[in-house]
Amino acid sequence: MNQYLYEGNAAEVEKMTKDALAEGRTPQEILTEGLIAGMAVVGEDFKYNILYVPEVLIAARAMKAGMGVLKPLLAARDDAAIDADRAPVLLMGTVRGDLHDIGKNLVCMMAEGAGFEVHDIGVDQSVEKFMAAADKCKPQIIGMSALLTTTMTYMKTVIDGFEEAGRTDVSFAIGGAPISQMFADEIGADGYGADASAAVELFLKLVGHID
């Protein structure tokens, strides 16, 4: 399954997911050892320029085919199990005035591949919309992206808005072409991801899954 996922063979990944369930494997095992493990290799090869954006998107689509089979089963587990083994929650959005989302979409797919529960609120999002979405999904991390220098300053508006409301229980990660570590430090973000692979690594650090 790892190999088919790496090659982006969605039909085969979906079939193998169903076969694995029929053999009595648990949805969690298939998710962790099949889909997430396969996507981890894709992420690593993307980081070192062995794979490029189109191949990552094709692999992510194959992962989604397997996820489509597993999602209803994972959601149906009893509440105690979900609490005990809850995936870290990530809220993603492009900030107000910015309509670019290719980078954000890639980060969402790779974060899902790394085991995060991802809530993508799309492009052109105001501080109020980020807050309303955070009320609903209770994220540990909010990821914001911007491609324009004119919209990147709005990231500070969102972070300040959360701080003023006393909502300091969430970490902020930012990224996009004009963004730098220096800008992240300036506006009080918890981290900056230079690309999709670095962003997922940052998310894992922020939730304490890696040092």
Side-chain angles (χ1 to χ4, degrees):
M1 193 192 285
N2 297 161
Q3 185 60 34
Y4 281 125
L5 191 145
Y6 187 91
E7 292 165 6
N9 189 331
E12 201 57 48
V13 170
E14 185 177 349
K15 179 184 177 299
M16 288 190 82
T17 304
K18 288 174 179 169
D19 290 349
L21 286 168
E23 281 169 22
R25 290 179 185 265
T26 66
Q28 194 62 45
E29 185 190 359
I30 300 164
L31 176 67
T32 309
E33 293 176 23
L35 303 179
I36 292 175
M39 232 13 223
V41 181
V42 172
E44 201 62 20
D45 282 0
F46 175 65
K47 187 172 161 182
Y48 294 110
N49 296 324
I50 297 164
L51 294 179
Y52 296 96
V53 170
E55 291 139 314
V56 175
L57 291 172
I58 290 165
R61 198 170 60 197
M63 187 199 79
K64 275 196 177 319
M67 283 293 289
V69 178
L70 295 180
K71 256 191 178 152
L73 301 169
L74 290 164
R77 292 186 307 169
D78 64 76
D79 291 343
I82 289 170
D83 281 347
D85 194 21
R86 188 161 155 69
V89 180
L90 168 68
L91 173 64
M92 289 285 293
T94 305
V95 294
R96 193 164 83 180
D98 207 313
L99 301 173
H100 298 88
D101 67 354
I102 291 172
K104 171 184 66 61
N105 293 351
L106 184 57
V107 171
C108 288
M109 285 178 181
M110 287 183 69
E112 205 164 66
F116 283 84
E117 180 187 313
V118 180
H119 297 263
D120 180 5
I121 56 172
V123 299
D124 192 21
Q125 296 296 320
S126 65
V127 60
E128 293 79 13
K129 290 202 174 138
F130 273 104
M131 280 189 170
D135 281 343
K136 271 190 186 162
C137 69
K138 308 278 187 291
Q140 281 97 320
I141 303 168
I142 292 177
M144 296 187 286
S145 69
L147 189 70
L148 308 171
T149 48
T150 49
T151 60
M152 64 192 257
T153 50
Y154 194 78
M155 290 175 167
K156 181 168 168 41
T157 307
V158 178
I159 293 172
D160 289 351
F162 272 78
E163 274 180 7
E164 282 159 22
R167 297 167 73 162
T168 51
D169 55 327
V170 64
S171 301
F172 281 93
I174 63 172
I179 309 300
S180 64
Q181 185 59 58
M182 198 166 84
F183 179 70
D185 295 340
E186 258 172 46
I187 67 168
D190 297 283
Y192 151 72
D195 55 38
S197 198
V200 173
E201 219 164 274
L202 169 65
F203 300 155
L204 290 166
K205 279 182 187 157
L206 289 172
V207 297
H209 281 220
I210 56 171
D211 296 331

